[in-house]
Amino acid sequence: MSDGESVIWFEELARGDVARVGGKNSSLGEMVQSLGAQGIRVPPGFATSADAFRDYLAANRLDEIMGSTLAKLDAGRISLQEAGRTIRGAIFDGEWPEATRDAILAAYRTLGERIGIAEPSVAVRSSATAEDLPDASFAGQQETFLNVRGEAALLEACRRCYASLFTDRAISYRKAKGFEHEKVALSVGVQQMVRSDIGGAGVMFSIDTESGFDRVVLINAAWGLGENVVQGTVTPDEYQVYKPLLEDPRLVPIVEKKLGTKERKMIYAGEGGMTKNVPTSKAERARYVLDDGEILELARAAVTIENHYGCPMDMEWARDGETGLLYIVQARPETVQSLVVEGAFKSYSVGAHGPTILTGLSVGEAVVAGRVCLIESARDIDRFVDGSVLVTGNTDPDWVPIMKRAAAIVTDHGGRTSHAAIVSRELGLPAIVGTGDATHVLHEEQEITVSCCEGDQGFVYEGIAECHVEEMRLGDVPATRTRVMLNLANPGAAFRWWRLPVDGVGLARMEFVVSNAIKVHPLALTRFDQLRDEAAREEIELLTRGYENKGDYFVDHLARGLSRIAAAVHPKPVIVRMSDFKTNEYANLLGGAQFEPEEENPMIGFRGASRYYSPRYRDGFLLECRAIHKLREDMGFTNVVMMIPFCRTLDEADRVLEVMREAGLERGLNGLEVYVMCEIPSNVILAKEFATRFDGFSIGSNDLTQLTLGVDRDSGELAALFDERDAAVRWMIETVIERAHAAGAKVGFCGQAPSNDPSFARLLVEAGIDSISVTPDSFFSVKGHVADAEAG
């Protein structure tokens, strides 16, 4: 028998006590001891010590059984399943040493006295002494038991925790990671249950789990107890918060809110210490688990915990349904993105591909093509074919052995913090989780492509698609006087590029957010009562549920979509081009056909600035302005610059700026800059006059070339004539730079030419351009050409 303590209260523990009580419990103690004064709530409780575990083994002579059984396993004389079954059975059959049992029960009674409940309901969690180390995530290898009530039930749960140290998956995991079985002990954490069964719970990371972007907090949330989120058996809500702006209590920097289906919730099942899953109601599925205030409170807690530990953190939280209070119930170092080497990264892209079969949340950034191996039950994992794409409902730790042998993973359920997502990240596998019906849509041996390179949304394509991979090294990027910025459209992919040493975003296309996140024509929202298309009315009602004012739906989704792009490079500038759909493109939006004229040539028709002050679209532009106002003033992204496209005349410029002023967006107010696209010859001819109205110009070479040469840029017959290097186009570029600079305005270039032909950057540098904006995949080559041009 050891001389050590059997039970230690959380407030007596610190993070250096991993050897005494394991990673989870030492971390809980650290938070109770050090962070309570900073507002971090941790449910009270205690931990059994590693010595208590060793005493249990010694009292029942289990060391001998374990040693001989594991030796047989190593020698290949028995199977992994037989070894695990033998050791667990011996632990189950053991008797508690009297001193250990008395200490556990005395602490349980004291806990009841502290919280004023005679037989409190507790969570009983395993905490191995080698787990949650910075370089080894034990990802659910040991068990947790919830709603445990009564002394006999507590002792049984503790015994079951001990036995879980020798599940098949735990034995094989330790073997793979090089941990010696006999050197790992187990502590049990006994913690007051938070009534999240009637509230909500989930998981939280202080880093973006896909890109490693370290300035956001990722929160997943579901109704009921948190095990469904951890296990990936539901698709949770997902929220992301931008950390640097949390310090200002006036701001609401929530850059993502995705409504999860939250198919079921785990609740208490009577007095027996059991839990059960029940379906959620339609109202629960349609409602966010957390309101904005709660999202921000959790995000601030994540920042406090991360700052204290000095590394990115993986946390579990719970909300008490009776008190409404939020608690942190676990915290451990994040073990994937925080260890990524920052010197280089691979960029994947998809070329020609088949039809889209499924979509879901993407995990990782790679693309994999292969054959489906569909397995719906862990009982059938022996059927798995190495190198296949594993398709299943959801995974738990029993699936890890075959997940290691998969090329990619696709699941019906789960969010970014589900077991499938966490393990896929650890293994470096692309995965798409939460597809809803992959196991129904896909079939055995079907050839598919799993694409996780296109942003937050992952795509499963029919057949084998073209895949391109490019490796980029950050240490090789030269410094330049000319700013090199990015052209971005997809908010879901913005965080992928945060490590690139860019000077900001020179063109953020609003149209992508409107088409993909909003989907509705703005006038179909502001004039919904006039909408005649009944099918469109029904779809819009569904999309805007929960919004009393349908225009608010447009404002919220547009602001949040653009905020992800703004967050990716903050505080560097992000130039947001206001909507530049042509009338035929607007007409394709939900409910749009009724509000758009038919034009012979939409390319030079009712587009850009001409729409913004027109009674025909003005209230749609005001929604866009409200979104920019929310983005800058409410969310705090004052790095956002507005840009007006296709502004033909000085009178148009004045009229648009007046509408903006009415919407509270006045040039110069709170540092607001307003640019104009330079894509019409009149912008060059009257550059001096335009420069008195705008802070800068951004040259759009496609339209400028088209209108200078009179060449339809979409014409195949005239493709050879469409040339940004033509002397007339070059004169336009050089002239606007010269005249704008003389008037004190900046000039950037956001056209496609440098992305298609990086050497075009030399012409721009020689002309004196201030900035060049390019697609991310051409950033390195353009940056090199700029550096060469500046060097002479």
Side-chain angles (χ1 to χ4, degrees):
M1 298 288 287
S2 73
D3 297 324
E5 302 169 275
S6 295
V7 166
I8 312 166
W9 289 91
F10 286 158
E11 56 264 33
E12 298 167 9
L13 292 168
R15 64 176 129 173
D17 289 318
V18 174
R20 295 170 71 199
V21 294
K24 286 190 182 73
N25 289 334
S26 62
S27 184
L28 286 168
E30 178 77 18
M31 288 191 292
V32 169
Q33 194 178 108
S34 302
L35 297 178
Q38 296 183 52
I40 303 300
R41 287 188 208 92
V42 177
F46 60 89
T48 66
S49 65
D51 283 340
F53 173 75
R54 296 187 186 99
D55 288 345
Y56 186 91
L57 297 186
N60 293 284
R61 303 183 66 178
L62 293 171
D63 287 314
E64 300 167 22
I65 296 171
M66 287 161 45
S68 61
T69 303
L70 292 170
K72 290 178 186 175
L73 173 63
D74 290 340
R77 290 159 53 199
I78 58 173
S79 68
L80 173 64
Q81 291 76 14
E82 189 178 347
R85 198 163 46 241
T86 300
I87 296 172
R88 291 193 302 275
I91 293 173
F92 282 136
D93 294 339
E95 294 294 331
W96 284 101
E98 186 176 350
T100 306
R101 182 196 63 209
D102 290 349
I104 293 171
L105 296 182
Y108 179 63
R109 294 173 195 134
T110 302
L111 178 62
E113 291 169 7
R114 289 185 179 185
I115 61 180
I117 301 173
E119 278 198 337
S121 176
V122 292
V124 181
R125 302 180 187 275
S126 305
S127 179
T129 57
E131 73 178 332
D132 296 332
L133 302 179
D135 60 346
S137 168
F138 274 59
Q141 297 301 314
Q142 279 76 55
E143 299 290 348
T144 290
F145 303 96
L146 304 176
N147 190 28
V148 175
R149 176 173 288 145
E151 295 182 358
L154 173 60
L155 291 174
E156 180 62 21
C158 290
R159 189 184 277 114
R160 290 168 71 188
C161 283
Y162 283 176
S164 75
L165 194 59
F166 291 93
T167 59
D168 300 349
R169 63 182 182 252
I171 295 170
S172 61
Y173 194 92
R174 284 195 297 274
K175 196 170 182 180
K177 290 288 185 181
F179 289 100
E180 297 179 42
H181 301 290
E182 60 273 17
K183 290 188 177 178
V184 179
L186 194 119
S187 164
V188 179
V190 180
Q191 192 175 25
Q192 179 190 0
M193 275 294 294
V194 176
R195 288 302 307 271
S196 59
D197 60 306
I198 53 174
V203 177
M204 174 166 67
F205 286 82
S206 66
I207 189 172
D208 181 53
T209 54
E210 301 316 311
S211 66
F213 185 45
D214 58 3
R215 283 168 283 178
V216 289
V217 174
L218 168 69
I219 303 169
N220 277 182
W223 302 110
L225 303 173
E227 292 304 292
N228 283 337
V229 179
V230 175
Q231 294 168 4
T233 56
V234 298
T235 303
D237 292 346
E238 180 173 306
Y239 319 111
Q240 288 185 331
V241 184
Y242 186 62
K243 293 190 289 192
L245 297 176
L246 274 171
E247 294 177 8
D248 188 335
R250 299 168 299 176
L251 301 179
V252 184
I254 300 171
V255 299
E256 181 68 277
K257 284 177 74 172
K258 285 184 182 174
L259 190 68
T261 50
K262 306 180 292 287
E263 302 89 343
R264 60 189 67 83
K265 62 180 177 179
M266 186 179 286
I267 60 171
Y268 290 176
E271 294 295 316
M274 301 295 289
T275 59
K276 65 179 179 180
N277 268 311
V278 297
T280 47
S281 67
K282 288 182 180 178
E284 287 172 321
R285 295 181 193 191
R287 197 167 79 243
Y288 288 113
V289 174
L290 298 173
D291 63 30
D292 286 358
E294 291 168 326
I295 293 168
L296 295 176
E297 181 182 342
L298 280 175
R300 290 190 176 100
V303 171
T304 298
I305 293 168
E306 179 184 62
N307 288 342
H308 180 75
Y309 280 83
C311 65
M313 297 295 288
D314 167 359
M315 296 147 281
E316 293 179 29
W317 61 271
R319 182 184 62 199
D320 192 298
E322 293 179 335
T323 65
L325 294 177
L326 292 164
Y327 291 86
I328 302 299
V329 296
Q330 277 192 41
R332 51 192 171 264
E334 192 273 342
T335 58
V336 179
Q337 287 294 347
S338 54
L339 300 179
V340 170
V341 177
E342 295 188 9
F345 62 91
K346 290 182 178 178
S347 173
Y348 292 81
S349 59
V350 177
H353 60 77
T356 302
I357 309 173
L358 290 163
T359 62
L361 295 172
S362 66
V363 177
E365 297 178 350
V367 181
V368 163
R371 291 190 172 186
V372 168
C373 188
L374 197 158
I375 300 178
E376 297 195 58
S377 169
R379 294 190 303 270
D380 301 323
I381 60 176
D382 290 342
R383 289 198 302 103
F384 185 72
V385 179
D386 286 5
S388 299
V389 177
L390 172 62
V391 176
T392 188
N394 59 273
T395 67
D396 60 34
D398 288 330
W399 292 74
V400 172
I402 67 164
M403 293 172 77
K404 293 176 180 177
R405 293 152 40 204
I409 296 168
V410 180
T411 70
D412 290 340
H413 308 294
R416 292 186 202 287
T417 57
S418 63
H419 178 270
I422 289 172
V423 173
S424 295
R425 253 178 246 120
E426 274 194 28
L427 299 175
L429 295 176
I432 299 178
V433 299
T435 62
D437 55 0
T439 53
H440 294 285
V441 172
L442 301 177
H443 62 79
E444 196 74 7
E445 296 192 7
Q446 181 178 5
E447 288 190 332
I448 61 171
T449 299
V450 176
S451 172
C452 296
C453 73
E454 299 171 72
D456 284 353
Q457 192 171 35
F459 298 88
V460 177
Y461 298 121
E462 177 72 57
I464 307 297
E466 284 182 9
C467 172
H468 309 287
V469 187
E470 182 181 356
E471 184 162 321
M472 298 179 274
R473 299 202 63 82
L474 300 180
D476 299 336
V477 180
T480 59
R481 294 188 304 277
T482 307
R483 295 187 300 170
V484 180
M485 308 169 83
L486 294 185
N487 290 339
L488 290 178
N490 182 0
F495 292 170
R496 288 180 60 195
W497 310 107
W498 72 276
R499 287 192 175 97
L500 288 182
V502 302
D503 295 304
V505 173
L507 175 63
R509 296 182 178 92
M510 184 178 285
E511 299 84 47
F512 188 96
V513 183
V514 175
S515 295
N516 292 276
I518 297 170
K519 303 177 182 177
V520 185
H521 193 290
L523 300 187
L525 297 168
T526 62
R527 306 175 192 178
F528 183 72
D529 57 335
Q530 301 173 26
L531 187 60
R532 296 187 294 270
D533 185 335
E534 283 303 320
R537 288 180 68 90
E538 287 181 18
E539 198 168 343
I540 292 169
E541 288 280 22
L542 188 64
L543 285 170
T544 60
R545 65 187 182 276
Y547 283 92
E548 193 172 329
N549 180 328
K550 294 191 185 324
D552 292 344
Y553 163 81
F554 184 96
V555 172
D556 284 355
H557 284 73
L558 181 55
R560 274 204 296 271
L562 293 172
S563 74
R564 289 173 61 84
I565 298 175
V569 298
H570 185 272
K572 296 171 183 173
V574 172
I575 301 173
V576 175
R577 185 179 69 190
M578 306 305 283
S579 66
D580 193 25
F581 285 123
K582 286 74 175 175
T583 48
N584 56 324
E585 294 166 334
Y586 265 119
N588 288 330
L589 294 171
L590 196 58
Q594 178 179 329
F595 302 104
E596 293 298 328
E598 289 189 17
E599 297 184 301
E600 287 292 326
N601 192 346
M603 187 74 76
I604 53 172
F606 187 47
R607 63 177 282 203
S610 61
R611 299 180 67 93
Y612 302 160
Y613 58 85
S614 166
R616 186 158 197 154
Y617 184 76
R618 188 175 184 276
D619 49 343
F621 180 62
L622 286 172
L623 290 184
E624 297 178 26
C625 289
R626 281 180 54 200
I628 297 295
H629 192 277
K630 179 184 179 79
L631 186 61
R632 287 177 51 86
E633 306 301 328
D634 299 344
M635 302 178 76
F637 291 103
T638 53
N639 60 323
V640 166
V641 177
M642 293 179 69
M643 182 157 68
I644 306 302
F646 226 77
C647 187
R648 296 171 169 97
T649 69
L650 299 173
D651 179 60
E652 276 204 325
D654 292 335
R655 296 177 74 172
V656 170
L657 290 168
E658 179 56 34
V659 176
M660 287 169 49
R661 271 192 293 274
E662 291 174 27
L665 294 170
E666 185 170 354
R667 180 184 166 209
L669 192 65
N670 196 17
L672 175 63
E673 288 190 319
V674 185
Y675 279 37
V676 65
M677 287 289 293
C678 176
E679 51 195 340
I680 306 169
S682 62
N683 302 141
V684 179
I685 297 164
L686 297 176
K688 181 180 176 182
E689 289 79 4
F690 274 104
T692 64
R693 292 160 170 82
F694 296 100
D695 297 285
F697 296 78
S698 188
I699 300 170
S701 59
N702 286 348
D703 274 326
L704 187 60
T705 302
Q706 173 176 247
L707 296 174
T708 299
L709 299 179
V711 175
D712 180 353
R713 73 192 208 193
D714 294 329
S715 169
E717 291 293 323
L718 302 176
L721 292 175
F722 189 90
D723 183 8
E724 293 99 331
R725 291 174 176 271
D726 184 272
V729 181
R730 289 182 60 178
W731 183 90
M732 287 285 184
I733 293 170
E734 291 164 356
T735 301
V736 76
I737 293 172
E738 179 188 338
R739 293 179 181 179
H741 282 175
K746 293 167 281 191
V747 185
F749 190 100
C750 67
Q752 196 63 25
S755 299
N756 295 338
D757 177 10
S759 65
F760 189 83
R762 177 179 290 275
L763 302 179
L764 297 174
V765 173
E766 290 171 350
I769 201 82
D770 294 300
S771 64
I772 300 172
S773 192
V774 297
T775 55
D777 57 341
S778 61
F779 171 78
F780 285 87
S781 55
V782 170
K783 190 78 167 171
H785 281 287
V786 169
D788 290 344
E790 289 182 349

